[in-house]
């Protein structure tokens, strides 16, 4: 059993026994799968796990398998509590992440299925990690779970990270990390370049407001072999977790897909923000889009910093307070690219979005210029949701890398032109869709008209001949 997608489907089928269990379904199903993989790690003691006997004695799956009813519920929660006492990453994952099981009989059935029906012990580390992430994706697809807001589709993440191009030894931060996909893809990106991803250990930072989701992010990174990282539960806009002295900590690469147009985001504390994150202006209380942008710009390292943030299209052209902030940022010449995406690429929303790419120090040939890219047709249509395919990701990466005009797709626009458009970045203002039909010259049009007329006359003569032959026309 080596195909992670097949494993995901089996896990999902087992998880469906808990569907009617209310909120507890989305709260603990990932924990159960994680516990299963921890059991495998104990028995195999192979990488990516750093030490054997991760699960304390007496807290294994066999103990869960022996119990029923309330005893099973108590033992399950006791397992999580004891795991939360472990030092290092594992303890942080489970600390304060315990939830009461509403229906122990369903938990019993799931445990039995997971233990008895499949040969999970043959999985290697990469497959386990991919299977766990696949389970997160399935959960995000399930509209009833509400998990979509915390999970970004993997190919979209790959497109963003490819544009950022993190390399060995860089620090990477995601201030709205959800289930940790951006940080995980940074690891994959470094591996694909045949560089040592261990150089990222200790340099991966994420913050997530939701308690359960922050725990899942830690599980996700842990199962994929990340040995040292920091995922902090907290509200980034009100209480950023990473700072140096009186200033925000800065990173080589800052990437995020924050909540779109977040209301009640913390404007009441930003008027006197101690970190100076309102340097370009105060975002409106009804939309935190440019709060995230300013936080991330402040988090870029002075020389090497670059960032990519996913926003709704409205952030490109809304006026008022956001228009003033956009004007200030464009005047700073830190915006490098605007990438328009197609519709229905995200779980739980059909809205089209865009990616804004910023760089602390733009290359000389890119100064006072912005690449405006219309990638809205780069997707594969799906019945429930559209998706980016590998070829779409490659197209986006190449267009950004080449930074040149492509008819109907991309334009390198000067700041002077943007100023003339009142700092409006709406993509159709700069990139006209490629004409679907070829425009004919007058001469060509006359030739086509003459040919059509000749064909019509010939058809008429043929019809007259037939009618005369049949005696229908004298």
């Amino acid at each position: 059993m080596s195909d992670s997608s097949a494993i995901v489907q089996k896990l999902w089928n087992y998880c469906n026994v808990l569907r009617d269990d209310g909120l507890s379904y989305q709260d603990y199903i990932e924990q159960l799968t994680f516990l299963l993989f921890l059991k495998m790690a104990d028995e195999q003691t192979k990488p990516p796990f750093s030490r054997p006997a991760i699960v304390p004695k007496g807290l294994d799956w066999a103990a869960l398998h022996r119990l029923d009813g309330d005893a099973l519920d108590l033992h399950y929660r006791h397992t999580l509590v004891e795991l939360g006492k472990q030092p290092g990453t594992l303890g942080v994952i489970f600390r304060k992440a315990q939830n009461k099981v509403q229906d122990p009989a369903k938990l019993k059935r799931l445990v039995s299925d997971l233990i008895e029906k499949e040969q999970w012990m043959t999985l290697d580390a990469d497959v386990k990690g991919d299977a766990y992430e696949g389970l997160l994706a399935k959960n995000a697809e399930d509209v009833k779970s509400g998990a979509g807001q915390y999970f970004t589709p993997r190919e979209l993440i790959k497109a963003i990270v490819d544009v950022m191009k993190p390399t060995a030894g860089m620090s990477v931060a995601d201030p709205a990390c959800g289930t940790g996909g951006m940080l995980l893809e940074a690891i994959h990106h470094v591996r694909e370049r045949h560089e040592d991803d261990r150089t990222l250990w200790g340099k991966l930072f994420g913050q997530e407001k939701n308690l359960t989701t922050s725990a899942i992010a830690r599980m996700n990174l842990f199962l994929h072999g990340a040995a040292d990282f920091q995922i902090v539960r907290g509200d980034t806009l009100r209480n950023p977790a990473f700072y140096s002295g009186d200033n925000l900590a800065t990173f080589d690469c800052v990437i995020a897909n924050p909540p779109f147009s977040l209301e009640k985001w913390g404007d009441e504390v930003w008027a006197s923000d101690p970190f100076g994150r309102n340097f370009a202006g105060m975002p409106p209380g009804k939309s935190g889009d440019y709060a995230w942008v300013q936080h991330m710009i402040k988090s870029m390292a002075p020389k090497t910093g670059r960032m990519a943030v996913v926003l709704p299209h409205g952030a490109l052209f809304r006026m008022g307070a956001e228009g003033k902030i956009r004007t200030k940022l464009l005047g700073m010449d830190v915006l490098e690219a605007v990438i328009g995406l197609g519709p229905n690429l995200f779980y739980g929303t059909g809205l089209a979005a865009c990616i804004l790419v910023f760089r602390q120090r733009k290359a000389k040939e890119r100064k006072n210029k912005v690449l405006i890219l219309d990638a809205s047709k780069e997707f594969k249509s799906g019945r429930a949701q559209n998706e980016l395919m590998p070829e779409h990701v490659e197209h986006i990466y190449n267009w950004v890398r080449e930074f040149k005009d492509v008819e109907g797709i991309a334009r390198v626009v000067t700041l002077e032109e943007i100023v003339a458009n009142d700092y409006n970045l709406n993509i159709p203002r700069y990139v006209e869709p490629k004409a679907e039909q070829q425009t004919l010259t007058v001469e060509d049009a006359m030739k086509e008209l003459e040919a059509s007329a000749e064909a019509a006359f010939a058809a008429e003569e043929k019809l007259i001949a037939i009618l005369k032959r049949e005696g229908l026309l004298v």
Side-chain angles (χ1 to χ4, degrees), residues 217-245:
R218 298 185 192 103
M219 297 178 203
N220 200 11
L221 286 164
F222 190 83
L223 284 175
H224 277 88
D228 190 8
F229 52 84
Q230 291 189 52
I231 302 292
V232 177
R233 187 240 177 158
D235 187 327
T236 295
L237 297 182
R238 289 184 172 87
N239 297 295
F242 308 112
Y243 48 88
S244 176

Side-chain angles (χ1 to χ4, degrees), residues 123-321:
L123 299 179
D124 60 37
D126 287 337
V127 175
K128 282 185 290 192
D130 289 346
Y132 186 74
E133 191 177 13
L135 182 62
L136 300 182
K138 290 288 288 184
N139 197 15
E141 290 172 6
D142 179 23
V143 177
K144 290 182 289 186
S145 78
Q149 62 180 313
Y150 305 113
F151 188 90
T152 306
R154 188 167 185 175
E155 289 300 328
L156 180 57
I157 290 176
K158 180 170 175 51
I160 296 169
V161 174
D162 282 356
V163 168
M164 288 289 93
K165 294 188 291 189
T167 58
M170 279 190 172
S171 56
V172 184
D174 183 345
C177 71
T179 57
M182 297 282 190
L183 300 177
L184 182 58
E185 185 57 36
I187 297 174
H188 290 158
H189 186 87
V190 170
R191 286 178 185 168
E192 288 173 359
R193 291 169 55 93
H194 305 292
E195 297 177 347
D196 189 351
D197 61 273
R198 291 175 297 180
T199 60
L200 298 180
W201 292 359
K203 296 184 177 182
L204 300 172
F205 303 85
Q207 187 166 358
E208 169 55 47
K209 184 177 180 180
N210 183 278
L211 172 61
T212 302
T213 307
S214 63
I216 291 171
R218 298 185 192 103
M219 297 178 203
N220 200 11
L221 286 164
F222 190 83
L223 284 175
H224 277 88
D228 190 8
F229 52 84
Q230 291 189 52
I231 302 292
V232 177
R233 187 240 177 158
D235 187 327
T236 295
L237 297 182
R238 289 184 172 87
N239 297 295
F242 308 112
Y243 48 88
S244 176
D246 295 331
N247 301 311
L248 288 180
T250 58
F251 310 94
D252 300 310
C253 186
V254 187
I255 44 182
N257 175 19
F260 287 179
S261 303
L262 182 66
E263 297 183 4
K264 299 179 181 179
W265 53 268
D267 60 307
E268 71 280 0
V269 301
W270 264 52
S272 56
D273 182 63
F275 302 104
R277 292 177 293 174
N278 55 3
F279 65 91
M282 272 293 295
K286 63 182 180 180
S287 174
D289 291 337
Y290 277 98
W292 291 105
V293 170
Q294 292 183 89
H295 170 87
M296 294 173 70
I297 290 176
K298 271 287 189 178
S299 300
M300 286 195 295
K303 296 180 180 180
T304 59
R306 78 284 299 269
M307 62 167 271
V309 58
V310 183
L311 297 174
H313 268 288
L316 300 177
F317 53 80
R318 290 191 296 249
M319 300 306 291

